[in-house]
């Protein structure tokens, strides 16, 4: 039975009807999740289940970025639902990727910011990535370079230089995420950027920017004058 359209529910508890009448942006996180889940479990209608899951994971983001084990530990969830969530997340990333594709020139800093935020903003762990460009600032390749805590010891300039030379890049934009959600660059981020800029400068590859991605915010070190 599709509990999201149950005739005895109050009208404001019918999220699919509200979406069709008022648009997806008018729905709460609970209502969006209820539509995504489609059905509840025995003794727990889908809206109640959606509320329970948001309480359990703390937020919609917490649910969508949960690990496989953490996700499947919750009653009513399992591998099939986890795969469904991951597929939805990847589709959203690919839609957000559209403004910046391989072979496209970077014509807008905002498109680049959105692209990197889409790639990195939902990662549950820290990822350091490079966007490699040719001499006309066309995208050659986006590449995740390192995972885990990003500090001076974790990122090796020699390896980054090797990657840039392999792609025959003329320039690179670095980006990494702060899973804590706070995008403010640390002193380690600034120091690492300068070391990479110096190393790549020796082979005539320019570092155009280093962006730090948080939850809903992306900070450019170049705009801050920290390069």
């Amino acid at each position: 039975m599709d509990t999201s359209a149950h005739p005895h529910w109050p009208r404001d508890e019918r999220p699919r009807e509200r979406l069709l009448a008022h648009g997806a942006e008018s729905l709460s996180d609970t209502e969006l999740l209820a539509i995504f889940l489609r059905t509840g479990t025995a003794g727990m209608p889908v809206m109640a289940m959606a509320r329970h899951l948001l309480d359990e994971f703390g937020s919609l983001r917490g649910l969508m970025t949960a690990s496989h084990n953490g996700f499947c530990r919750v009653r009513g969830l399992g591998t099939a639902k986890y795969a469904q969530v991951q597929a939805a997340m990847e589709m959203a990333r690919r839609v957000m990727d559209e403004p910046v594709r391989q072979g496209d020139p970077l014509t807008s800093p905002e498109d680049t910011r959105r692209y990197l935020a889409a790639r990195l903003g939902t990662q549950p762990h820290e990822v350091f990535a490079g966007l490699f460009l040719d001499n006309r600032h066309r995208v050659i390749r986006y590449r995740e370079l390192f995972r885990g805590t990003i500090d001076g010891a974790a990122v090796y300039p020699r390896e980054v230089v090797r990657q840039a030379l392999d792609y025959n890049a003329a320039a690179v934009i670095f980006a990494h995420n702060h899973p804590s959600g706070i995008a403010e660059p640390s002193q380690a981020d600034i120091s690492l950027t300068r070391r990479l800029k110096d190393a790549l400068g020796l082979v005539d590859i320019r570092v155009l920017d280093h962006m730090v991605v948080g939850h809903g915010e992306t900070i450019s070190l170049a705009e801050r004058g920290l390069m």
Side-chain angles (χ1 to χ4, degrees):
M1 179 175 64
D2 186 350
T3 53
S4 69
H6 196 293
H8 302 299
W9 282 23
R11 183 165 295 277
D12 63 359
E13 291 276 275
R14 303 177 193 173
R16 189 178 302 162
E17 290 182 14
R18 279 174 46 77
L19 183 148
L20 294 174
H22 304 292
E25 66 279 2
S26 70
L27 270 61
S28 66
D29 289 354
T30 301
E31 290 170 320
L32 288 170
L33 182 57
I35 291 174
F36 180 80
L37 293 170
R38 295 182 56 236
T39 59
T41 59
M44 187 178 288
V46 68
M47 283 291 286
M49 184 177 184
R51 291 191 191 98
H52 168 70
L53 292 176
L54 290 177
D55 287 343
E56 185 76 23
F57 288 97
S59 66
L60 194 57
R61 177 189 172 82
L63 169 66
M64 301 297 276
T65 59
S67 68
H68 185 194
N69 287 340
F71 188 92
C72 294
R73 275 200 298 266
V74 176
R75 178 175 170 266
L77 300 181
T79 295
K81 279 276 194 288
Y82 180 78
Q84 190 178 345
V85 165
Q86 294 306 304
M89 292 281 285
E90 183 58 25
M91 284 191 291
R93 287 191 193 103
R94 293 185 188 190
V95 169
M96 292 297 291
D97 281 355
E98 290 278 332
V100 181
R101 294 179 296 270
Q102 187 167 328
D104 282 355
L106 293 181
T107 56
S108 164
E110 281 309 307
D111 280 348
T112 308
R113 195 186 301 263
R114 281 193 293 269
Y115 174 87
L116 292 170
R119 283 282 191 169
L120 296 171
T122 55
Q123 294 280 7
H125 43 258
E126 203 160 351
V127 175
F128 183 85
L131 192 60
F132 297 94
L133 313 171
D134 69 12
N135 57 10
R136 295 173 59 186
H137 291 181
R138 292 177 300 192
V139 177
I140 299 171
R141 180 78 180 269
Y142 167 88
R143 176 78 183 256
E144 289 186 4
L145 298 169
F146 301 96
R147 287 180 173 235
T149 302
I150 305 302
D151 56 33
V155 177
Y156 303 102
R158 181 183 298 178
E159 177 62 19
V160 175
V161 170
R162 186 187 69 78
Q163 293 277 354
L165 291 173
D166 283 349
Y167 295 131
N168 197 28
V172 62
I173 295 172
F174 293 115
H176 78 279
N177 63 313
H178 283 176
S180 66
I182 301 170
E184 196 64 32
S186 67
Q187 190 56 50
D189 297 336
I190 296 166
S191 174
L192 172 62
T193 304
R194 291 173 178 167
R195 288 199 304 122
L196 290 171
K197 185 177 180 181
D198 289 344
L200 287 161
L202 295 174
V203 290
D204 295 323
I205 297 172
R206 290 173 298 131
V207 177
L208 302 181
D209 206 343
H210 182 173
M211 294 189 178
V212 183
V213 178
H215 298 175
E217 182 181 26
T218 302
I219 290 177
S220 158
L221 270 68
E223 289 177 1
R224 289 277 187 93
L226 299 173
M227 301 279 293

